[in-house]
Amino acid sequence: MKQILHLKSSLQGNDSYSIKLGNAIAKKVQEKYPDSTLEELNLVDPEIPHLNPAVLHALFVPGDQLSADDEEAKSLSDKLVRQLLAADTIVIGAPLINFTIHSALKAWIDHITRPGITFGYTETGPIGKVTGKKVYIAMSSGGIYSEGPGKANDFVAPYLKAFLGFLGMTDVRVVRAEGLKVPGVKEYAMQKALESIIID
């Protein structure tokens, strides 16, 4: 049995290519592991709030010194961390927006990056504590960014892979629906993306 967490970060709702691609990935995981459970988290509706001074302060207060206000301030971060750690398979919907990810996905990243919980430091450098996860990045883009001139402007896949690896999630597969606005490519781009899904 797999516990699947599907993160959605698109503003397009049901018309979103990254959501459609993420749904297809989650469905294929469920088909391969029929007893799996699926939890969906929409990061943009309602939008995950960015860190603020009160939350940042609360995240670094020792447990025995937390006030009621501190507990409230960090409650969302704690919930998101528990949700992440409970998942076996994580599907991250990541449309390319102005060459990078939506700010709500970055806010989620900031909430779940917790020293001593999701990562730590050793004498030889940082070590990720979120291990044993399979991650699929459902990436969509109007242009082509996996190769050619656009590759240098892809700050989605490289960033997410670097960040996930920092937390210990190194088993990452990027599934791309790209060229969705390019004549001659857009007509079959989504179908090509769906056919490229491979579940381990």
Side-chain angles (χ1 to χ4, degrees):
M1 187 175 97
K2 299 288 184 182
Q3 188 158 338
I4 308 162
L5 174 62
H6 181 191
L7 305 174
K8 303 177 181 182
S9 65
S10 174
L11 297 171
Q12 301 297 322
N14 292 332
D15 294 327
S16 165
Y17 290 107
S18 67
I19 289 178
K20 291 176 182 177
L21 187 57
N23 287 341
I25 293 170
K27 182 178 179 181
K28 283 185 176 290
V29 175
Q30 290 176 299
E31 288 172 351
K32 184 163 185 175
Y33 303 97
D35 294 330
S36 297
T37 61
L38 173 63
E39 184 173 8
E40 298 180 330
L41 178 60
N42 192 327
L43 303 177
V44 300
D45 185 23
E47 189 164 282
I48 294 289
H50 295 139
L51 294 187
N52 59 40
V55 175
L56 184 64
H57 168 78
L59 296 182
F60 288 91
V61 175
D64 59 352
Q65 299 176 29
L66 285 165
S67 67
D69 287 343
D70 291 333
E71 291 282 9
E72 175 63 26
K74 75 183 189 75
S75 61
L76 174 60
S77 177
D78 288 344
K79 176 183 176 181
L80 296 175
V81 168
R82 288 194 300 269
Q83 191 178 49
L84 171 67
L85 295 178
D88 301 295
T89 301
I90 300 143
V91 180
I92 302 177
L96 183 145
I97 302 173
N98 297 327
F99 301 148
T100 189
I101 60 174
H102 189 284
S103 62
L105 179 54
K106 177 58 167 65
W108 177 82
I109 285 171
D110 292 340
H111 279 287
I112 58 99
T113 305
R114 299 279 296 275
I117 301 175
T118 56
F119 78 98
Y121 288 104
T122 68
E123 293 180 354
T124 57
I127 182 170
K129 294 177 176 290
V130 187
T131 58
K133 314 290 185 186
K134 176 67 183 185
V135 183
Y136 297 91
I137 298 171
M139 181 178 167
S140 63
S141 59
I144 296 174
Y145 293 89
S146 63
E147 60 185 7
K151 188 172 183 178
N153 293 325
D154 175 11
F155 298 100
V156 174
Y159 169 67
L160 288 176
K161 291 177 76 172
F163 161 73
L164 294 166
F166 177 77
L167 292 191
M169 292 173 275
T170 56
D171 190 358
V172 180
R173 174 168 291 162
V174 180
V175 183
R176 295 175 183 258
E178 61 178 346
L180 294 164
K181 302 295 184 182
V182 178
V185 176
K186 63 182 181 181
E187 292 81 6
Y188 58 86
M190 192 63 190
Q191 186 60 35
K192 180 181 178 181
L194 294 172
E195 291 173 355
S196 73
I197 299 172
I198 299 174
I199 304 300
D200 297 326

